[in-house]
Amino acid sequence: VKAKTISEIHSEAEKNLGLRPGAASRATGAVGGTSPVGGFPINRPGAGGMMPGMPGTRKMPGMPGIDNDNWEVPRRGSISKMDPLSMQPGGRMPPPVVGKQGPFNSRLLPQGSGGIIAGRTSALLQGSGPPTTTPQSQYPGPAKPLPVPGFSKQSEPVALEASDKHPPAAKVNSADLKRKTTNLVEEYFSIRDLNEALQCVEELKSPEYLPEFVKEAIALAFDKVPPCVEPISKLLEFLLAKKALTNSDLVTGCLEYGAMLDDIALDAPKAPSNYGELMGRLIVAGILDFKLVQDVLQKVEDTYYRKSVFDAIMKGMKSSAVGEGILGAQAADIESCERLLS
């Protein structure tokens, strides 16, 4: 159902009451908003004036608008009137003045205020000059960092001393050294050239590998058929005389081979007697002694292999006059070796 307008309501009222057309509108003063006499508006209270929103009423500020059908429509909010000069970009109000001092009378300054107002001295201080210290700001700045004891900005960094130690040597490639050892020993057994063998040992350039070289050379000599006991004995004596080997290298290599003798003898039953013959030759040459023989026998677990080593040593010693003299000089060590055979 469509709502009726004021004009339609007036027309219907005039028709029902038998009035002339326009009488209802003139009675309420809706047309033009003035009275039929004098042209004064009839909109004061108690005078039968027009109600707000009726057609023909005077539009007051803030009142809703009227559409084409004389119906009220809401108006958009009006923008508050502000001084454009006092507005900041973005419509923000200027911030209030903080810390602004009001007017004061320099003659009414209290004592103890310092008398410093606008750079002048108070008259109550009777000629006293301005204070020597500058007044501090109301908002002090950031606190200064406290000095750290023993630290100075001017101190220069201390250069670290370089280590006196040499860098660690590269790790020995045992597989490569073992291959070179096999080649030079096999070549020596073929041509029996001690000087060339010496040069090859020096080219190894690995002093820590020399005990292993002694052990490998002994094992290669005993693998030959017949065993190369005499050639390997001459090679070790020559390398020791040329200082390509040390006595410690030779002793360590002999002990390492003795520790393996139980396993080696399983495949080479003559290895214990060959090893005893080699040690007898080195003892006669004055390189080894029976104290080392005692240590070697302690590393051999099988008593039979121990006896084979010791018997071969004694056989070589008794075959020469030099050996006979050594047997008498080292009789105590020989007895210690004999006790290990039982």
Side-chain angles (χ1 to χ4, degrees):
V1 178
K2 183 179 180 181
K4 296 181 180 181
T5 62
I6 297 298
S7 299
E8 293 176 349
I9 294 174
H10 288 173
S11 299
E12 186 177 356
E14 291 170 354
K15 184 177 180 181
N16 294 334
L17 297 176
L19 301 177
R20 292 181 300 176
S25 299
R26 288 192 297 270
T28 58
V31 180
T34 58
S35 63
V37 181
F40 294 98
I42 311 176
N43 56 0
R44 62 182 182 274
M50 294 177 293
M51 297 178 64
M54 295 178 62
T57 56
R58 182 181 300 176
K59 295 181 180 180
M60 300 298 292
M63 292 180 61
I66 304 298
D67 60 3
N68 296 331
D69 294 333
N70 294 327
W71 287 98
E72 296 180 358
V73 293
R75 298 181 59 185
R76 296 182 180 179
S78 59
I79 301 176
S80 59
K81 296 181 180 180
M82 295 291 296
D83 185 5
L85 298 178
S86 63
M87 295 288 291
Q88 293 185 354
R92 293 180 295 179
M93 295 293 293
V97 180
V98 180
K100 184 177 180 181
Q101 298 181 356
F104 55 86
N105 191 345
S106 60
R107 297 181 180 181
L108 302 179
L109 290 176
Q111 293 184 0
S113 63
I116 302 300
I117 300 296
R120 295 185 298 176
T121 307
S122 173
L124 299 178
L125 299 180
Q126 299 179 357
S128 62
T132 56
T133 59
T134 305
Q136 296 182 355
S137 174
Q138 183 179 0
Y139 302 99
K144 297 181 179 180
L146 297 177
V148 180
F151 176 79
S152 176
K153 292 183 178 180
Q154 289 78 13
S155 60
E156 298 181 356
V158 180
L160 297 178
E161 296 182 359
S163 176
D164 296 335
K165 297 182 179 180
H166 297 287
K171 188 176 180 180
V172 178
N173 189 348
S174 58
D176 186 39
L177 292 175
K178 185 175 181 179
R179 178 182 57 81
K180 292 181 179 180
T181 299
T182 302
N183 293 336
L184 74 90
V185 172
E186 292 289 348
E187 184 178 0
Y188 165 71
F189 290 152
S190 299
I191 62 177
R192 308 292 175 93
D193 190 343
L194 293 174
N195 291 320
E196 186 174 351
L198 172 63
Q199 183 178 357
C200 292
V201 172
E202 291 175 347
E203 289 177 356
L204 293 177
K205 296 180 180 180
S206 181
E208 63 276 8
Y209 177 75
L210 294 179
E212 185 75 12
F213 167 80
V214 173
K215 183 191 72 173
E216 292 294 332
I218 294 174
L220 291 172
F222 296 162
D223 288 341
K224 292 294 182 179
V225 180
C228 298
V229 178
E230 183 180 1
I232 190 62
S233 175
K234 290 182 178 180
L235 176 62
L236 295 177
E237 292 178 21
F238 182 77
L239 294 176
L240 189 63
K242 296 297 182 179
K243 297 183 179 180
L245 293 177
T246 64
N247 189 266
S248 176
D249 296 333
L250 184 59
V251 170
T252 304
C254 290
L255 289 173
E256 290 181 358
Y257 184 83
M260 299 170 54
L261 193 56
D262 289 286
D263 296 332
I264 295 174
L266 296 176
D267 298 328
K270 293 185 178 181
S273 59
N274 293 332
Y275 187 50
E277 182 181 353
L278 173 63
M279 293 191 69
R281 289 177 176 272
L282 295 176
I283 292 173
V284 172
I287 299 174
L288 301 180
D289 54 18
F290 276 93
K291 289 183 179 180
L292 176 62
V293 174
Q294 182 178 355
D295 294 337
V296 170
L297 294 178
Q298 290 176 350
K299 291 184 176 295
V300 179
E301 297 179 358
D302 194 301
T303 306
Y304 176 79
Y305 296 149
R306 288 181 183 178
K307 191 173 185 304
S308 298
V309 173
F310 184 75
D311 290 346
I313 294 173
M314 296 300 292
K315 182 179 179 179
M317 298 294 294
K318 293 178 180 179
S319 62
S320 65
V322 177
E324 290 288 346
I326 294 175
L327 291 176
Q330 301 183 16
D333 295 329
I334 294 174
E335 292 179 359
S336 298
C337 293
E338 290 176 347
R339 286 194 293 267
L340 295 174
L341 303 178
S342 57

